[in-house]
Amino acid sequence: NAGVTQTPKFQVLKTGQSMTLQCAQDMNHEYMSWYRQDPGMGLRLIHYSVGAGITDQGEVPNGYNVSRSTTEDFPLRLLSAAPSQTSVYFCASSYSVGAKYYEQYFGPGTRLTVT
Amino acid sequence: DQQVKQNSPSLSVQEGRISILNCDYTNSMFDYFLWYKKYPAEGPTFLISISSIKDKNEDGRFTVFLNKSAKHLSLHIVPSQPGDSAVYFCAASPRGSNYKLTFGKGTLLTVNP
């Protein structure tokens, strides 16, 4: 298993440009999430999905869109990049068995700089 | 309003000694607590977790303690090793919502040989 993969590893954007951060997992996990980490901060939840076709907002959703058409993929779209979106972005996946929920597995991250 | 707080930005210990990392939370809905370890330029790696029905969970050198009345948890690493040097994040989620983690700001642990 490759686990959770993210592309690209690094990206530089100009203000106003759009782009999509890719996230894929090969563990058949039903739950996927996007977080951002800023210097000196913990990770903050942007959007999450509890299954294909179902997404919802997290703590910091403004400026980002998501969709989940398959179990494996959960792309994050920046509609019009702003310098405040300069951050490291992490995708994560997790699963449950009955009433027991398990930890999230994280990807290696995408470092995004908006100039 | 920080719902998960790690008040020590850094901690330095000698190899072989105990490392104790602390975490406080304010949200009474949190039911599941986790510790993640993070090296620079990598994603967080799961270390150990505990649910609110327990007050202790052990996994090898790592033990997590939960004090629900004080809304406090701690991670003990015994004995500490230089390879344990990393940033440790405390995280929490409500029941049945392991995809909605709230993280603390992290504690940088340095284990000196």
Side-chain angles (χ1 to χ4, degrees), chain B residues 25-63:
Chain B
Y25 63 97
T26 58
N27 190 336
S28 300
M29 298 302 292
F30 287 151
D31 180 72
Y32 182 52
F33 304 91
L34 310 90
W35 286 94
Y36 281 87
K37 176 179 178 180
K38 187 180 181 304
Y39 294 117
E42 294 185 11
T45 302
F46 171 72
L47 207 52
I48 193 169
S49 64
I50 189 167
S51 73
S52 62
I53 62 172
K54 294 186 172 182
D55 54 20
K56 178 182 173 182
N57 189 27
E58 282 182 88
D59 184 1
R61 296 186 296 115
F62 303 92
T63 303

Side-chain angles (χ1 to χ4, degrees), chain A residues 18 24 27 43 45 64 67 73 82 88 91-92 100 104 107 111 115:
Chain A
S18 63
M27 299 173 283
L43 283 71
L45 182 65
Y64 307 95
S67 60
D73 300 298
V88 182
C91 180
K100 184 163 172 53
Q104 285 195 306
R111 184 175 293 274
T115 61

Side-chain angles (χ1 to χ4, degrees), chain A residues 31-33 35 37 40-43 45 48-50 90 94-95 101-108, chain B residues 32 34 36 38 41-46 49 89 95-106:
Chain A
Y31 311 115
M32 295 186 76
S33 307
Y35 297 85
Q37 185 189 14
M41 302 285 289
L43 283 71
L45 182 65
Y48 63 91
S49 169
V50 298
F90 292 102
S94 57
Y95 67 104
Y101 289 74
Y102 294 85
E103 68 277 6
Q104 285 195 306
Y105 293 74
F106 282 82
Chain B
Y32 182 52
L34 310 90
Y36 281 87
K38 187 180 181 304
E42 294 185 11
T45 302
F46 171 72
S49 64
F89 289 101
R95 183 186 301 272
S97 301
N98 63 342
Y99 43 84
K100 291 167 60 174
L101 295 181
T102 300
F103 282 82
K105 291 186 177 182

Side-chain angles (χ1 to χ4, degrees), chain A:
Chain A
N1 284 356
V4 180
T5 57
Q6 293 183 238
T7 54
K9 288 193 186 316
F10 302 94
Q11 183 70 51
V12 179
L13 288 179
K14 292 189 189 309
T15 297
Q17 287 184 317
S18 63
M19 80 157 295
T20 299
L21 307 186
Q22 302 292 345
C23 173
Q25 52 95 5
D26 61 358
M27 299 173 283
N28 202 32
H29 287 177
E30 60 217 275
Y31 311 115
M32 295 186 76
S33 307
W34 275 103
Y35 297 85
R36 62 177 285 175
Q37 185 189 14
D38 301 305
M41 302 285 289
L43 283 71
R44 292 183 292 169
L45 182 65
I46 305 171
H47 285 285
Y48 63 91
S49 169
V50 298
I54 308 170
T55 64
D56 205 346
Q57 297 180 352
E59 179 188 354
V60 288
N62 292 343
Y64 307 95
N65 272 0
V66 292
S67 60
R68 185 139 176 237
S69 55
T70 67
T71 300
E72 295 78 19
D73 300 298
F74 190 42
L76 178 72
R77 278 180 281 277
L78 280 71
L79 308 173
S80 177
S84 61
Q85 294 178 303
T86 294
S87 190
V88 182
Y89 292 84
F90 292 102
C91 180
S93 72
S94 57
Y95 67 104
S96 62
V97 177
K100 184 163 172 53
Y101 289 74
Y102 294 85
E103 68 277 6
Q104 285 195 306
Y105 293 74
F106 282 82
T110 294
R111 184 175 293 274
L112 176 69
T113 302
V114 183
T115 61

Side-chain angles (χ1 to χ4, degrees), chain B residues 43-89:
Chain B
T45 302
F46 171 72
L47 207 52
I48 193 169
S49 64
I50 189 167
S51 73
S52 62
I53 62 172
K54 294 186 172 182
D55 54 20
K56 178 182 173 182
N57 189 27
E58 282 182 88
D59 184 1
R61 296 186 296 115
F62 303 92
T63 303
V64 57
F65 295 92
L66 176 62
N67 182 333
K68 288 186 290 293
S69 60
K71 293 191 173 66
H72 177 83
L73 63 156
S74 61
L75 174 68
H76 292 210
I77 306 174
V78 184
S80 300
Q81 299 173 354
D84 296 330
S85 298
V87 176
Y88 288 78
F89 289 101

